[in-house]
Amino acid sequence: MTIRLLLVDDHAVVRSGLKMLLSGQKEMEIVGEAASAHEALTETERLRPNVILMDIGLPDKTGIEATREIKAKFPDVKIVALTIHEDEEYFFQMLAAGASGYVPKRAAPDELITAINAAADGEVYLYPSLAKLLVRDYLSAERPAEEKANLDGLTDREHEVLIHLAEGASNDEIAAALVISPKTVERHRENIMRKLNLHSRSELVRYAIRKGIIKA
Amino acid sequence: MTIRLLLVDDHAVVRSGLKMLLSGQKEMEIVGEAASAHEALTETERLRPNVILMDIGLPDKTGIEATREIKAKFPDVKIVALTIHEDEEYFFQMLAAGASGYVPKRAAPDELITAINAAADGEVYLYPSLAKLLVRDYLSAERPAEEKANLDGLTDREHEVLIHLAEGASNDEIAAALVISPKTVERHRENIMRKLNLHSRSELVRYAIRKGIIKA
DNA sequence: ATTGGCATGGGGTGATGTCCCCATCAGCGG
DNA sequence: CCGCTGATGGGGACATCACCCCATGCCAAT
C-alpha cells in the first residue's frame, strides 16, 4: 500500500527538496502541501493523507499545535516532525501532541524515509540525539524501579506474592497463579506486611507503586 | 576517531556475519569477540572497546545482566543490544541496564551502523518498533498532569470519599473524618466502584494514583 | 549435626469489605 | 408540583481479610 504524504513547511524550497527526495520512493506519493498550520488542517481534511511531515516553525501557529489539532480530528493520521529544532522542549511537546516520529533536518535522507515508513506502520522513529533525551527521561522516572534490589528484606517468593497483591489479586487468585495453597499465600502476605510495617492491601498497593514494583 | 568494537554473541556464524558487514566501515574496527557474558566482561577489561554489540541470549547469563555488570565497571563503554527479541520486557530492562541502543536482528544493516555511530557519539538509537513502546510509556507517565479535570462523573462527596479510600482508610476512619455514618461511607464507596467499574479497594488505590488524585 | 531461614500448609476468630435490600430529606428543573 | 439526583442512614448475607495458633520438609551455614 502506498503511503499518502502531506508536506507541511512554510518554505517552498524545503517542500521542493522533499518532493525531489521522496519522489524516488515507490511506496510514497506526495498528495499535497501546506505552508501554514491552518492550511495543514484543511488539506488534511480534504486529502486524507496517511502521514504528514510537519515543520515546527510555521507562520500562524507552531507545528506542535497543528499536530495536536490534527490528531484530535484525525487520530489515524501519523505525523512526523521534521524540523531544525533539536530542543528538548519542542521534542517532548511534539510527543505529547501525538507525533509518530521526530527527525531533525540535518538527518540523512535515508533516516527520513525510515521515519516515514515506521510512522505509516504505526511505529515511531526517533533520531538518536532525541532518543537519548527520552531514554534519560525514562531512566530518571524509573529510578525507583531500581530499588528492586533493596526490598526491605523480602524473599524472592514474597516479592512474587507482593506483585500479585499489589495488582489487586485476592488470596485465592494468587494461590491459583502460583499453584500453592491460599493458606500459604496468606502466610506470605502476613510476612510481607510485618516486614514492611503495612496493615492493609491498600497500603501494599501504594507501597508497590512507590517502589516501582508495579505501575499504577 | 575509529570506533573500537567488541562483538558479543554465542553464535560464531552471527559474529562472522557482523564482521563481514562491518569491515566495510572505515570508522570501525572490530577488536574482539565474546561468546558468553563472562568472556564479554574479561574481553572488555582487556581490550577496552568503545562500543559493544550485545546479544541477549547468552549461555551463562543474559545480555541484560552482562550489560549491567559491564556498565558498572566501565561506565564509558557504550552497549548496543542486538537481538532477536522485541519483547517489551527485555527492551525496558536493557535500557535500565544502561544500553545506548536496541536493534533487532531483523533490522537493515544500515540501521545497525547508524546505531553504532549514535552510541559512539553518546546518543541512543532505538529501532522504531521499540521506540514506540518507550513513547507509549512516556505518554502514560505524563498523562496525570492533565487528567485532574475529568473524574468520570463522580460527585463532590464521592470524590472526597475516594481520596480517603485511596489513602487506605477504613470505612470507620472515613466516617470519623467526614463526620457521617460508616454506612454512608459504604454507600458512597459502592457508588464510586460502580461508576468506575472497580471492585476492590486495591483497584481504587491504583485508579486514584493513575489519575493523580493522590500520590503513591 | 544442629540451627536457622524459607516455603509449604491447616485451623480458627473477629474485623472488614462487597453488594444487595430498604428509607428519608433537600434542592433543582421542567 | 413532580420527578430526579445527591446525600444521608439502617439491615443483612456472604466473602475476604488480618492476625494469631500450629506443623513439615528442605537447604545452607556453622
Side-chain angles (χ1 to χ4, degrees):
Chain A
M1 189 196 107
T2 75
I3 302 170
R4 298 166 50 79
L5 272 174
L6 174 66
L7 309 183
V8 182
D9 195 299
D10 56 334
H11 296 92
V13 196
V14 175
R15 296 199 305 272
S16 306
L18 288 172
K19 277 197 282 192
M20 291 272 289
L21 171 63
L22 299 172
S23 60
Q25 297 296 311
K26 289 185 201 64
E27 327 248 306
M28 298 182 192
E29 186 197 351
I30 296 170
V31 297
E33 307 178 22
S36 70
H38 179 258
E39 251 186 85
L41 192 56
T42 58
E43 290 297 273
T44 300
E45 187 141 22
R46 191 167 69 85
L47 302 166
R48 299 307 178 94
N50 305 118
V51 176
I52 300 174
L53 282 187
M54 179 71 74
D55 189 26
I56 289 190
L58 296 175
D60 47 351
K61 327 178 189 184
T62 68
I64 296 165
E65 288 172 273
T67 297
R68 204 155 20 223
E69 290 168 13
I70 292 172
K71 289 294 283 189
K73 281 201 177 176
F74 310 98
D76 293 341
V77 180
K78 308 299 180 184
I79 298 179
V80 174
L82 178 65
T83 169
I84 51 166
H85 302 288
E86 290 182 46
D87 312 19
E88 182 160 357
E89 263 312 296
Y90 284 146
F91 170 61
F92 282 112
Q93 284 182 33
M94 213 48 199
L95 283 190
S100 293
Y102 201 107
V103 184
K105 283 182 176 165
R106 69 176 171 94
D110 275 2
E111 292 175 298
L112 179 58
I113 291 163
T114 301
I116 294 170
N117 282 313
D121 289 348
E123 299 182 343
V124 175
Y125 180 86
L126 303 176
Y127 193 74
S129 60
L130 288 318
K132 181 181 59 172
L133 298 177
L134 187 57
V135 169
R136 199 216 296 142
D137 178 88
Y138 168 75
L139 291 178
S140 71
E142 292 300 297
R143 204 150 301 284
E146 285 182 34
E147 302 187 37
K148 274 171 195 161
N150 85 329
L151 271 170
D152 303 274
L154 293 194
T155 67
D156 288 352
R157 198 56 160 171
E158 284 164 357
H159 183 245
E160 201 172 352
V161 171
L162 173 55
I163 292 172
H164 288 88
L165 285 167
E167 278 167 351
S170 70
N171 292 333
D172 284 354
E173 286 166 348
I174 299 170
L178 301 184
V179 202
I180 53 179
S181 145
K183 264 311 197 185
T184 305
V185 176
E186 233 180 290
R187 165 93 302 166
H188 287 311
R189 179 195 52 71
E190 282 188 54
N191 290 332
I192 293 167
M193 284 184 167
R194 186 164 20 77
K195 285 180 180 176
L196 303 178
N197 193 30
L198 304 173
H199 302 87
S200 77
R201 274 154 138 90
S202 296
E203 289 176 40
L204 272 179
V205 173
R206 290 184 73 185
Y207 174 88
I209 292 173
R210 212 180 315 120
K211 289 287 185 177
I213 294 168
I214 63 158
K215 287 168 300 189
Chain B
M1 188 197 107
T2 75
I3 301 170
R4 298 167 49 80
L5 271 173
L6 174 66
L7 308 183
V8 182
D9 196 300
D10 55 335
H11 296 92
V13 195
V14 176
R15 296 197 305 273
S16 305
L18 289 172
K19 276 197 283 191
M20 291 272 288
L21 171 63
L22 299 173
S23 60
Q25 298 296 310
K26 287 184 201 65
E27 326 248 307
M28 299 180 191
E29 185 196 350
I30 296 169
V31 296
E33 307 177 20
S36 69
H38 178 257
E39 252 185 85
L41 193 57
T42 57
E43 290 297 272
T44 300
E45 186 141 25
R46 192 167 68 85
L47 302 166
R48 299 306 176 97
N50 304 118
V51 176
I52 299 175
L53 281 187
M54 177 72 73
D55 190 26
I56 288 189
L58 296 175
D60 47 351
K61 328 179 188 183
T62 68
I64 297 165
E65 289 172 273
T67 298
R68 205 155 20 223
E69 290 168 13
I70 291 171
K71 288 295 280 189
K73 281 201 178 177
F74 311 98
D76 293 341
V77 180
K78 307 300 180 184
I79 298 179
V80 174
L82 178 66
T83 169
I84 50 167
H85 302 289
E86 291 182 45
D87 312 19
E88 182 160 355
E89 264 310 297
Y90 284 144
F91 170 60
F92 282 111
Q93 283 182 33
M94 212 51 197
L95 283 191
S100 294
Y102 200 107
V103 184
K105 282 183 177 165
R106 68 177 170 94
D110 277 1
E111 293 175 296
L112 178 59
I113 291 164
T114 301
I116 294 171
N117 281 313
D121 290 346
E123 299 183 341
V124 175
Y125 179 87
L126 302 176
Y127 193 74
S129 60
L130 288 320
K132 181 180 59 171
L133 299 177
L134 187 57
V135 170
R136 198 215 298 143
D137 179 89
Y138 167 75
L139 291 178
S140 72
E142 292 302 299
R143 212 157 290 293
E146 36 175 302
E147 289 200 40
K148 276 170 197 160
N150 85 327
L151 273 170
D152 301 275
L154 292 193
T155 67
D156 289 351
R157 198 57 161 169
E158 283 164 359
H159 183 241
E160 202 172 351
V161 172
L162 173 55
I163 293 173
H164 288 88
L165 285 167
E167 278 168 349
S170 69
N171 291 333
D172 285 353
E173 287 166 349
I174 299 171
L178 301 184
V179 202
I180 53 180
S181 143
K183 263 309 194 186
T184 304
V185 175
E186 236 181 287
R187 165 94 300 160
H188 287 311
R189 179 195 51 73
E190 283 187 54
N191 290 332
I192 293 167
M193 283 185 169
R194 186 164 19 76
K195 284 180 181 175
L196 303 178
N197 194 30
L198 304 173
H199 301 86
S200 77
R201 279 161 133 87
S202 296
E203 290 176 40
L204 273 179
V205 173
R206 291 183 73 183
Y207 173 89
I209 293 173
R210 214 181 314 121
K211 290 286 184 179
I213 294 168
I214 63 159
K215 288 168 300 184

PDB file of all heavy atoms in Angstrom, chain B residues 133-144:
ATOM      1  N   LEU B 133       7.263   1.759  21.981  1.00  0.00           N
ATOM      2  CA  LEU B 133       6.995   1.333  23.354  1.00  0.00           C
ATOM      3  C   LEU B 133       7.421   2.409  24.349  1.00  0.00           C
ATOM      4  O   LEU B 133       6.720   2.683  25.313  1.00  0.00           O
ATOM      5  CB  LEU B 133       7.745   0.028  23.661  1.00  0.00           C
ATOM      6  CG  LEU B 133       7.377  -1.181  22.812  1.00  0.00           C
ATOM      7  CD1 LEU B 133       8.245  -2.369  23.177  1.00  0.00           C
ATOM      8  CD2 LEU B 133       5.904  -1.516  23.015  1.00  0.00           C
ATOM      9  N   LEU B 134       8.573   2.996  24.085  1.00  0.00           N
ATOM     10  CA  LEU B 134       9.089   3.991  25.020  1.00  0.00           C
ATOM     11  C   LEU B 134       8.221   5.238  25.001  1.00  0.00           C
ATOM     12  O   LEU B 134       7.939   5.828  26.043  1.00  0.00           O
ATOM     13  CB  LEU B 134      10.539   4.335  24.674  1.00  0.00           C
ATOM     14  CG  LEU B 134      11.255   5.230  25.677  1.00  0.00           C
ATOM     15  CD1 LEU B 134      11.234   4.618  27.063  1.00  0.00           C
ATOM     16  CD2 LEU B 134      12.671   5.519  25.235  1.00  0.00           C
ATOM     17  N   VAL B 135       7.769   5.614  23.822  1.00  0.00           N
ATOM     18  CA  VAL B 135       6.907   6.790  23.712  1.00  0.00           C
ATOM     19  C   VAL B 135       5.588   6.527  24.429  1.00  0.00           C
ATOM     20  O   VAL B 135       5.063   7.380  25.138  1.00  0.00           O
ATOM     21  CB  VAL B 135       6.663   7.163  22.239  1.00  0.00           C
ATOM     22  CG1 VAL B 135       5.577   8.219  22.134  1.00  0.00           C
ATOM     23  CG2 VAL B 135       7.948   7.678  21.609  1.00  0.00           C
ATOM     24  N   ARG B 136       5.081   5.324  24.259  1.00  0.00           N
ATOM     25  CA  ARG B 136       3.829   4.977  24.924  1.00  0.00           C
ATOM     26  C   ARG B 136       3.997   5.097  26.436  1.00  0.00           C
ATOM     27  O   ARG B 136       3.150   5.650  27.136  1.00  0.00           O
ATOM     28  CB  ARG B 136       3.422   3.557  24.556  1.00  0.00           C
ATOM     29  CG  ARG B 136       1.948   3.274  24.826  1.00  0.00           C
ATOM     30  CD  ARG B 136       1.706   1.866  25.292  1.00  0.00           C
ATOM     31  NE  ARG B 136       2.090   0.862  24.315  1.00  0.00           N
ATOM     32  CZ  ARG B 136       2.644  -0.289  24.644  1.00  0.00           C
ATOM     33  NH1 ARG B 136       2.892  -0.560  25.905  1.00  0.00           N
ATOM     34  NH2 ARG B 136       2.955  -1.168  23.715  1.00  0.00           N
ATOM     35  N   ASP B 137       5.116   4.573  26.913  1.00  0.00           N
ATOM     36  CA  ASP B 137       5.403   4.653  28.339  1.00  0.00           C
ATOM     37  C   ASP B 137       5.482   6.105  28.783  1.00  0.00           C
ATOM     38  O   ASP B 137       4.919   6.481  29.810  1.00  0.00           O
ATOM     39  CB  ASP B 137       6.728   3.936  28.631  1.00  0.00           C
ATOM     40  CG  ASP B 137       7.105   4.006  30.096  1.00  0.00           C
ATOM     41  OD1 ASP B 137       6.690   3.109  30.835  1.00  0.00           O
ATOM     42  OD2 ASP B 137       7.801   4.954  30.496  1.00  0.00           O
ATOM     43  N   TYR B 138       6.150   6.922  27.977  1.00  0.00           N
ATOM     44  CA  TYR B 138       6.293   8.347  28.305  1.00  0.00           C
ATOM     45  C   TYR B 138       4.927   9.003  28.402  1.00  0.00           C
ATOM     46  O   TYR B 138       4.632   9.734  29.338  1.00  0.00           O
ATOM     47  CB  TYR B 138       7.140   9.039  27.240  1.00  0.00           C
ATOM     48  CG  TYR B 138       7.105  10.543  27.307  1.00  0.00           C
ATOM     49  CD1 TYR B 138       7.807  11.226  28.303  1.00  0.00           C
ATOM     50  CD2 TYR B 138       6.365  11.284  26.398  1.00  0.00           C
ATOM     51  CE1 TYR B 138       7.768  12.600  28.375  1.00  0.00           C
ATOM     52  CE2 TYR B 138       6.324  12.668  26.462  1.00  0.00           C
ATOM     53  CZ  TYR B 138       7.033  13.325  27.456  1.00  0.00           C
ATOM     54  OH  TYR B 138       6.990  14.689  27.529  1.00  0.00           O
ATOM     55  N   LEU B 139       4.074   8.729  27.407  1.00  0.00           N
ATOM     56  CA  LEU B 139       2.770   9.368  27.378  1.00  0.00           C
ATOM     57  C   LEU B 139       1.911   8.938  28.556  1.00  0.00           C
ATOM     58  O   LEU B 139       1.188   9.737  29.135  1.00  0.00           O
ATOM     59  CB  LEU B 139       2.064   9.059  26.063  1.00  0.00           C
ATOM     60  CG  LEU B 139       2.718   9.722  24.847  1.00  0.00           C
ATOM     61  CD1 LEU B 139       1.993   9.333  23.580  1.00  0.00           C
ATOM     62  CD2 LEU B 139       2.770  11.232  24.999  1.00  0.00           C
ATOM     63  N   SER B 140       1.991   7.678  28.927  1.00  0.00           N
ATOM     64  CA  SER B 140       1.180   7.221  30.047  1.00  0.00           C
ATOM     65  C   SER B 140       1.683   7.851  31.340  1.00  0.00           C
ATOM     66  O   SER B 140       0.905   8.114  32.246  1.00  0.00           O
ATOM     67  CB  SER B 140       1.212   5.699  30.145  1.00  0.00           C
ATOM     68  OG  SER B 140       2.471   5.258  30.595  1.00  0.00           O
ATOM     69  N   ALA B 141       2.978   8.128  31.403  1.00  0.00           N
ATOM     70  CA  ALA B 141       3.533   8.723  32.611  1.00  0.00           C
ATOM     71  C   ALA B 141       3.186  10.199  32.708  1.00  0.00           C
ATOM     72  O   ALA B 141       2.987  10.716  33.795  1.00  0.00           O
ATOM     73  CB  ALA B 141       5.054   8.541  32.641  1.00  0.00           C
ATOM     74  N   GLU B 142       3.076  10.872  31.562  1.00  0.00           N
ATOM     75  CA  GLU B 142       2.861  12.303  31.573  1.00  0.00           C
ATOM     76  C   GLU B 142       1.388  12.660  31.734  1.00  0.00           C
ATOM     77  O   GLU B 142       1.038  13.793  31.973  1.00  0.00           O
ATOM     78  CB  GLU B 142       3.381  12.932  30.272  1.00  0.00           C
ATOM     79  CG  GLU B 142       4.890  12.890  30.139  1.00  0.00           C
ATOM     80  CD  GLU B 142       5.585  13.589  31.300  1.00  0.00           C
ATOM     81  OE1 GLU B 142       5.373  14.792  31.481  1.00  0.00           O
ATOM     82  OE2 GLU B 142       6.317  12.902  32.054  1.00  0.00           O
ATOM     83  N   ARG B 143       0.525  11.674  31.528  1.00  0.00           N
ATOM     84  CA  ARG B 143      -0.892  11.975  31.472  1.00  0.00           C
ATOM     85  C   ARG B 143      -1.459  12.606  32.760  1.00  0.00           C
ATOM     86  O   ARG B 143      -2.210  13.561  32.674  1.00  0.00           O
ATOM     87  CB  ARG B 143      -1.677  10.713  31.100  1.00  0.00           C
ATOM     88  CG  ARG B 143      -2.909  11.026  30.298  1.00  0.00           C
ATOM     89  CD  ARG B 143      -3.360   9.848  29.489  1.00  0.00           C
ATOM     90  NE  ARG B 143      -2.489   9.526  28.385  1.00  0.00           N
ATOM     91  CZ  ARG B 143      -2.318  10.285  27.327  1.00  0.00           C
ATOM     92  NH1 ARG B 143      -2.894  11.447  27.247  1.00  0.00           N
ATOM     93  NH2 ARG B 143      -1.535   9.893  26.358  1.00  0.00           N
ATOM     94  N   PRO B 144      -1.087  12.109  33.953  1.00  0.00           N
ATOM     95  CA  PRO B 144      -1.727  12.572  35.173  1.00  0.00           C
ATOM     96  C   PRO B 144      -1.898  14.087  35.249  1.00  0.00           C
ATOM     97  O   PRO B 144      -2.883  14.566  35.791  1.00  0.00           O
ATOM     98  CB  PRO B 144      -0.782  12.081  36.268  1.00  0.00           C
ATOM     99  CG  PRO B 144       0.102  11.088  35.643  1.00  0.00           C
ATOM    100  CD  PRO B 144      -0.152  11.053  34.186  1.00  0.00           C
TER     101      PRO B 144
END
